[in-house]
Structure formats: structure tokens, C-alpha cells
Amino acid sequence: MAVDDHSLLRNALCELLNAEDDLEVVAQTDVSAQILELAVEHRVDVVLLDVEMPDHHAPTVVEELSSALPDLCVLILSMHDDPQLVQELMRRGARGYLHKTAHRETLLAAIRAIRGGDSHTIIAIPQSENRRSAFAPVPTGLSPREREVLTLVANALSNRQIAHRLGVAEGTVKRHLRNIFDKLGAVSRVDAVNKALDAHLIVRRPHLAEG
């Protein structure tokens, strides 16, 4: 479900998600009071929630959704990048926080990660020098193979799909990801992709299908 009071942006977001074979927008609204009712009615898996809307207090909405629907995943999409706000929303039950300038690949990977049961917190906001310390250290270099793996992750491929594409065992892919997380100070696949893109360690490429 997409929740945003800017109809042009919300409709564009819905079109982007509905174009993906494994994603479907089943509800959308610009009214905060309708969110919980719609989430229950449509058995929503993921709510993409804007922070700033009329008659809307995002932390309270997140807490209400998390309490009423424990299996529901709330992913924040916002132009705000205040670390204190991010941390408050995470405490209330949000599974991730993406700045609206995030790359398309970052958004899709975040949705798939939390929908797939990834237990890590997902944070992707512009990293200025005075904000880095609130979340993670400055990224260090990656090996050519690690860059290759992370580029495929950025295109929303699963570990199994990456292993198939590279002709390696799935355990090898997991080992590369552990090394990548350590080097980047990342807490999730999406966080690693975002940090690598910001540090120009990988480049964006068109979405890759398995084959």
C-alpha cells in the first residue's frame, strides 16, 4: 500500500511497483485515518508511508500499525533525513527508512528484503559528513568480485540467482556478502547497495533478469 498526499508522486510510485512481476499495489491513500482500515481490508504485506501529511503523526501511525498487524512491514519514504526522526520511527516499529532521492533499485530491493523476512533495519538517506557517524563508517574498497556481487544485489537478484549467474555456490555468495557488510559497515543488503552507490564503488545498471 502506498501512502502519500502528493498524488502525482504516489501514482508514479504505484506504476513503478505494478510494473514488477512480483509486486502489486493493492491500496493507496492520502488520508492518514484510512491507513489501518485499508491495511486490514486488503491484507497488505508492506506499507510505504510518507512522514509529512495533513493530520498525520508518522511515529504514532507506525506504532498503531505494528501493534494491530505484527506481520505488516512499514517502510518509510520521506524527504526528511533527521537521524533522530529515523531512530524514533525505527523504535516505533518501522522496518526501514528511505529518503525519496533513493535509487529505484534501492526501493525495490528494500521492499523485497523486508517482504522476504530480512531482519535487518534498512536505512538509506543522503550521507553528509555530519550525519555519517549516526549510522555507519565511511565505506572502504571492495574487491572486483565483491563489486560484481553487490551490483547484482543492487538489481534485486537473490543469493540463489547471483550464484547461478556467477557459477558459484550460494554459500560463496553469502561469504562475499558478509565481507561486503563488514567493509561498508552495512546492516542490510539495501544499506550496502546505498553506501556503495554513494561512494561510487558500484554504478547503477539496468534491471537484470535471471538467465
Side-chain angles (χ1 to χ4, degrees):
M1 179 167 69
V3 180
D4 197 304
D5 64 325
H6 293 93
S7 59
L8 189 62
L9 176 61
R10 189 180 68 252
N11 291 335
L13 177 63
C14 292
E15 288 181 9
L16 182 154
L17 297 176
N18 284 328
E20 299 295 310
D21 292 338
D22 61 332
L23 301 176
E24 179 185 6
V25 179
V26 296
Q28 57 172 298
T29 185
D30 60 356
V31 180
S32 184
Q34 294 179 346
I35 298 172
L36 179 57
E37 179 183 354
L38 288 172
V40 172
E41 178 184 350
H42 294 278
R43 299 181 180 180
V44 173
D45 294 316
V46 178
V47 172
L48 303 180
L49 182 67
D50 188 18
V51 168
E52 191 169 295
M53 300 194 328
D55 302 316
H56 177 74
H57 183 249
T60 300
V61 171
V62 170
E63 188 168 31
E64 290 175 348
L65 288 170
S66 300
S67 298
L69 301 167
D71 294 331
L72 177 69
C73 298
V74 180
L75 179 61
I76 304 297
L77 288 177
S78 175
M79 288 302 295
H80 294 281
D81 55 10
D82 176 17
Q84 290 185 340
L85 174 62
V86 175
Q87 291 162 6
E88 172 69 10
L89 288 161
M90 297 301 106
R91 281 197 303 271
R92 298 290 188 107
R95 291 288 309 282
Y97 191 106
L98 300 185
H99 196 267
K100 285 184 177 179
T101 59
H103 304 296
R104 167 186 174 276
E105 293 89 345
T106 300
L107 171 63
L108 294 175
I111 294 171
R112 290 177 174 125
I114 63 175
R115 181 175 169 230
D118 190 332
S119 61
H120 292 100
T121 298
I122 296 167
I123 299 174
I125 64 174
Q127 293 289 291
S128 65
E129 287 304 316
N130 62 355
R131 280 198 299 265
R132 286 188 186 276
S133 60
F135 297 105
V138 177
T140 56
L142 302 178
S143 71
R145 177 59 102 182
E146 288 166 351
R147 292 186 184 209
E148 189 174 15
V149 168
L150 195 53
T151 298
L152 295 173
V153 169
N155 283 280
L157 271 68
S158 67
N159 288 352
R160 181 175 298 179
Q161 290 172 319
I162 294 171
H164 175 73
R165 185 176 292 276
L166 298 181
V168 299
E170 190 171 348
T172 301
V173 175
K174 292 179 180 178
R175 187 177 71 250
H176 284 310
L177 285 173
R178 284 195 299 269
N179 291 338
I180 290 167
F181 282 21
D182 288 342
K183 289 183 177 181
L184 299 183
V187 297
S188 71
R189 296 161 71 93
V190 172
D191 192 29
V193 168
N194 188 66
K195 284 180 168 62
L197 286 169
D198 285 345
H200 305 292
L201 299 176
I202 62 173
V203 296
R204 285 195 294 169
R205 294 180 182 177
H207 181 72
L208 301 175
E210 183 181 13

